[in-house]
Amino acid sequence: MQMKNSTAAYGLVSIVLHWVMALAIFALIALGLWMVELNYYSPWYQQAPFWHKSVGLLLVPILLFRLYWRLQQPTPEAPAGHARWERRLATLTHGLLYLLLLLTLISGYMISTAKGDGISLFGWFQVPALVSGLDNQADLAGTLHYWSAISILGLAALHALGALKHHVLDRDTTLVRMLKPETSTHKET
């Protein structure tokens, strides 16, 4: 099983990073939308934000590693038949997803540290508040956090629809190569 990408296929590391991040992002957005509706008397009032912040903090090094990995690995070439506009839209969508995810994570940190308190990572240790006390920090960061997360949902839907279009209508390998790594015996690049 190929760990690294080639010009023809994604390797296992890229595929695992893609799906782990996708699951974490959707879980965080669902949890975030649910937890803001909780009232003080809900048993989840304290626990939901604790889990949301902890998983969000774990996503930071995963995102940074994914960006590093993406820069170190070749990007598989688009299958024959992809129009130029499709390749450009895919590149733009991927770039915006990374940017919005970074903004969402940073703004979440800014919300949580606005009063100068650190953030507990699963109770293991505190991530310190490096920036706090700015005018309207929590409110401005909260607005950015919400809208960047909602934008991620929209772009992820576009991303998924594109993959399904390629799989069902075009009958190419776009979706399949993100589901299983290449298993050929040729040399990794």
Side-chain angles (χ1 to χ4, degrees), residues 146-158:
Y146 175 81
W147 286 110
S148 59
I150 295 300
S151 298
I152 287 170
L153 282 178
L155 284 172
L158 178 65

Side-chain angles (χ1 to χ4, degrees), residues 131-162:
V131 179
S132 63
L134 301 175
D135 288 342
N136 298 318
Q137 180 175 331
D139 290 337
L140 293 173
T143 300
L144 179 61
H145 192 70
Y146 175 81
W147 286 110
S148 59
I150 295 300
S151 298
I152 287 170
L153 282 178
L155 284 172
L158 178 65
H159 180 67
L161 286 172

Side-chain angles (χ1 to χ4, degrees), residues 22-161:
L23 289 172
I25 291 164
F26 285 118
L28 284 170
I29 291 172
L31 180 60
L33 291 172
W34 175 70
M35 74 183 193
V36 296
E37 298 299 322
L38 296 174
N39 65 37
Y40 180 78
Y41 299 104
S42 169
W44 287 98
Y45 185 76
Q46 297 292 329
Q47 288 300 311
F50 171 81
W51 286 99
H52 185 81
K53 292 173 190 179
S54 291
V55 173
L57 285 172
L58 281 183
L59 205 50
V60 172
I62 295 171
L63 173 63
L64 294 176
F65 179 73
R66 184 169 183 192
L67 291 171
Y68 167 79
W69 188 257
R70 185 173 173 101
L71 292 172
Q72 298 301 314
Q73 296 295 306
T75 301
E77 296 171 9
H82 282 208
R84 185 175 176 183
W85 69 267
E86 289 174 309
R87 292 190 306 271
R88 285 188 171 178
L89 183 58
T91 300
L92 177 64
T93 300
H94 284 114
L96 285 173
L97 280 168
Y98 287 127
L99 176 64
L100 287 167
L101 184 52
L102 192 59
L103 287 173
T104 304
L105 293 170
I106 291 169
S107 60
Y109 174 83
M110 297 295 287
I111 295 166
S112 299
T113 60
K115 293 181 182 176
D117 299 326
I119 307 168
S120 173
L121 179 66
F122 293 113
W124 301 331
F125 61 88
Q126 290 277 324
V127 175
L130 301 175
V131 179
S132 63
L134 301 175
D135 288 342
N136 298 318
Q137 180 175 331
D139 290 337
L140 293 173
T143 300
L144 179 61
H145 192 70
Y146 175 81
W147 286 110
S148 59
I150 295 300
S151 298
I152 287 170
L153 282 178
L155 284 172
L158 178 65
H159 180 67
L161 286 172

